[in-house]
Amino acid sequence: MTNDNNIQTRHRNALDQLAPRGQEHVFRWWDDLGDVDRIRLLNDLESINWTVLDELITTHVVARPDSDHTTDIRPAPVHRQTPDAGQEQLYDRALKRGRSLISQGKVAAFTVAGGQGTRLGFDGPKGMVEVSPVGERTLFQLFADMIVAAGRRHDVTLPWYVMTSPANHDETLNYFSSQAFFGLREQDVRLFPQAMLPVFDRSGRILMADKHLIALAPDGHGGSLKALVASGALSDMQQRGVEVISYFQVDNPLVKPFDPLFLGLHAETGSEMSAKVTPKAHDLERVGNVCMSNDRVRVIEYSDLPEELAHSTNTDGSRKFDAANLAIHLLNVAFVDRVIGQAFQLPYHRAEKVATYVDDTGDKHTPEKPNAVKLETFVFDALPLADKTLILEVDRAEEFAPIKNATGDDSLASAKDAQVARACRWLEDSGVHVPRTKDGQPDLSVVIAPSLAMDANELRAASDHIPDLRSGGWYLLE
Ligand code: UTP
């Protein structure tokens, strides 16, 4: 078949699918397009799985999905960072087991970096944001430093998997190449894109991002499970002997990807997928609540947790539902392998966002208010599929400072402050004097590189190498 015939046939086939669904507007500029653009448009259209989307457009785009009707909601059992009475031996065993899992190369780091970072508004993949208060390290560089440092400590090569999206894959890969994979071996770093889904207007019509481009968006961090399998990353892990995936988001510079206690408790309790949580800032904090429901662990959005439950207390007055999801998980390779079958599908969530689009006359618009409906799946919805889940409560200030917004809470500035604050706590804990202002804030900028220490204990052991710290100083301790 000639190229021309081929394009015409594909065009006809696509029209046959689109016309009965009222989506033929995507071909409005077909006659003006050259072959390259026509093929691009057809490729995108052919990637759409209409059997899934037909129903979703009705239930999640045109209408709003029913709110979560989870029943039998109870607090989830939580392990603390220090053992409760009677748990000492378990914690001792867990620490040893966690270290041994790392040193045997059974743990891989997995960063999800396919998001669009719309709230931050950074021009480029979020992992390229310079996040270190001193030393201009980017998020990707920082994670690489942690992986190198953990590998050195445990005398092992630790692999790193990074999920991108088709929208940022090339730029991310070019960045990794330009940085010579940050000192890691190229064969130990694997980048792969997640799947995309069309973006709709509220009437369920696919938005056009350009005359030859349908608007597409990544299918949510839940898409990472399918992408692990589809990309071959999961088989790669199996071949390397990796058993546990340490999942974290690209936006959290405080994450500890190789946490022996978390890994060890996960393994000792026979868990398939685990989660780190932190106490909530207040009853109605806008976070996912890690709860039990019908004997399964699940995350219930703040908006779906009945208010009387959110305000309920234990007999000692403490908050009953006090486990905020930190989006830090461990997943067994065997678990991902088990759940991702042909019929596997995490539930879809609806999100209203701003999307640039061309209107029916060909003019481009970027509205100020949300105009588009995106469909996403969330990785935490895999928790109820796990036969066993370990939940570890950690200190938010030690492990969580996500960069979501351009300013204010959860911004680059607040994440830098959180890194300095944590470094100062570790230093003081090691007996090092930290200059502070009258109101108790650190009066210096200081970064503790992972090569020096990845937690307060490690810093204590290395405290001889720390210089005097002066007010107003800038220190990169490595
Ligand atoms: P967020 O939900 O915070 O989204 O992602 P975002 O894309 O970073 O920011 P906004 O909402 O557009 O402002 C949490 C984590 O999940 C990843 C992100 O890269 C981030 O690490 N993610 C999100 C994906 O990998 N794929 C997605 O489809 C969505």
Side-chain angles (χ1 to χ4, degrees):
M1 202 187 292
T2 64
N3 198 26
D4 238 18
N5 282 342
N6 188 14
I7 293 177
Q8 278 175 27
T9 311
R10 289 174 67 189
H11 179 215
R12 257 198 318 277
N13 290 344
L15 254 183
D16 285 347
Q17 287 209 304
L18 293 162
R21 298 178 162 92
Q23 302 283 6
E24 66 273 38
H25 64 280
V26 299
F27 286 128
R28 181 178 296 272
W29 295 283
W30 183 256
D31 293 340
D32 305 339
L33 302 180
D35 276 0
V36 172
D37 287 347
R38 285 180 170 183
I39 289 169
R40 172 72 199 263
L41 179 57
L42 289 168
N43 287 347
D44 284 347
L45 290 168
E46 287 165 3
S47 74
I48 298 175
N49 180 351
W50 286 107
T51 24
V52 176
L53 272 189
D54 281 338
E55 193 183 335
L56 279 174
I57 293 174
T58 315
T59 55
H60 284 63
V61 179
V62 180
R64 280 163 200 280
D66 288 345
S67 57
D68 189 354
H69 290 310
T70 308
T71 53
D72 186 31
I73 304 174
R74 297 161 200 263
V78 167
H79 283 69
R80 322 259 163 215
Q81 277 208 296
T82 46
D84 289 340
Q87 290 182 319
E88 294 82 358
Q89 288 187 348
L90 168 68
Y91 276 57
D92 281 349
R93 281 201 312 277
L95 265 180
K96 286 194 194 107
R97 178 122 176 226
R99 290 192 187 117
S100 146
L101 282 169
I102 302 169
S103 56
Q104 291 177 67
K106 292 189 172 168
V107 185
F110 179 31
T111 310
V112 287
Q116 296 180 303
T118 35
R119 285 168 289 171
L120 182 63
F122 175 70
D123 186 19
K126 212 189 249 190
M128 289 169 61
V129 169
E130 284 180 0
V131 71
S132 287
V134 184
E136 295 172 354
R137 293 275 211 264
T138 63
L139 282 156
F140 282 135
Q141 171 81 64
L142 185 60
F143 300 142
D145 291 349
M146 293 177 194
I147 293 164
V148 169
R152 291 220 173 105
R153 297 279 198 291
H154 295 275
D155 196 19
V156 66
T157 299
L158 297 165
W160 186 18
Y161 298 83
V162 180
M163 185 179 79
T164 59
S165 84
N168 68 18
H169 182 80
D170 290 348
E171 204 177 345
T172 308
L173 187 58
N174 288 341
Y175 175 60
F176 274 63
S177 302
S178 73
Q179 302 300 307
F181 290 80
F182 314 103
L184 292 155
R185 294 186 315 174
E186 191 173 341
Q187 65 263 38
D188 298 325
V189 182
R190 186 162 175 152
L191 281 74
F192 57 92
Q194 66 181 112
M196 304 280 268
L197 286 171
V199 175
F200 303 90
D201 67 16
R202 289 190 185 86
S203 73
R205 270 173 31 129
I206 294 176
L207 283 173
M208 295 303 288
D210 214 326
K211 292 181 176 174
H212 67 294
L213 289 177
I214 57 173
L216 291 167
D219 62 352
H221 42 67
S224 62
L225 302 188
K226 275 190 176 167
L228 276 171
V229 176
S231 66
L234 200 78
S235 318
D236 189 60
M237 291 176 181
Q238 284 161 331
Q239 273 159 26
R240 285 172 174 269
V242 170
E243 290 178 4
V244 187
I245 303 168
S246 172
Y247 168 105
F248 56 95
Q249 303 189 331
V250 73
D251 55 19
N252 179 17
L254 295 190
V255 72
K256 296 179 177 172
F258 298 95
D259 177 347
L261 181 66
F262 189 33
L263 285 159
L265 285 172
H266 169 83
E268 283 293 318
T269 54
S271 295
E272 291 191 306
M273 175 170 176
S274 292
K276 278 190 177 175
V277 300
T278 201
K280 292 199 292 192
H282 54 86
D283 291 354
L284 303 179
E285 189 183 358
R286 294 159 71 101
V287 289
N289 293 270
V290 179
C291 304
M292 293 300 289
S293 155
N294 299 309
D295 293 330
R296 294 271 155 174
V297 173
R298 56 182 85 231
V299 172
I300 299 183
E301 296 280 14
Y302 63 92
S303 47
D304 291 326
L305 185 68
E307 271 210 27
E308 70 275 15
L309 292 187
H311 290 303
S312 62
T313 52
N314 298 307
T315 43
D316 64 0
S318 58
R319 191 177 296 122
K320 217 171 193 171
F321 290 88
D322 202 20
N325 181 28
L326 292 183
I328 300 170
H329 299 291
L330 298 174
L331 299 104
N332 288 351
V333 168
F335 170 67
V336 179
D337 198 26
R338 173 169 77 74
V339 297
I340 307 283
Q342 288 262 302
F344 170 80
Q345 185 53 64
L346 291 174
Y348 282 95
H349 298 258
R350 170 198 167 103
E352 294 205 3
K353 304 231 174 165
V354 169
T356 300
Y357 70 100
V358 288
D359 64 20
D360 288 346
T361 62
D363 289 336
K364 214 172 233 186
H365 306 270
T366 305
E368 305 232 310
K369 291 196 183 138
N371 61 313
V373 180
K374 289 187 188 175
L375 299 167
E376 294 185 319
T377 59
F378 297 152
V379 75
F380 56 71
D381 281 327
L383 281 167
L385 306 176
D387 286 337
K388 187 93 182 52
T389 293
L390 176 275
I391 303 166
L392 182 63
E393 181 187 285
V394 298
D395 182 355
R396 187 185 301 227
E398 281 288 298
E399 305 204 21
F400 192 62
I403 300 167
K404 303 282 185 197
N405 306 314
T407 54
D409 289 344
D410 296 343
S411 63
L412 180 57
S414 67
K416 286 186 176 181
D417 289 348
Q419 290 171 80
V420 172
R422 186 177 76 171
C424 291
R425 276 196 308 276
W426 291 5
L427 286 160
E428 285 169 339
D429 190 62
S430 301
V432 176
H433 172 71
V434 171
R436 289 188 178 270
T437 59
K438 278 201 194 95
D439 59 358
Q441 296 306 313
D443 192 17
L444 78 173
S445 217
V446 58
V447 165
I448 297 170
S451 57
L452 182 67
M454 288 192 290
D455 59 38
N457 286 335
E458 286 189 0
L459 188 67
R460 233 174 280 134
S463 56
D464 290 353
H465 304 283
I466 297 165
D468 281 349
L469 304 174
R470 294 176 200 287
S471 284
W474 293 71
Y475 301 94
L476 173 59
L477 307 178
E478 42 186 358

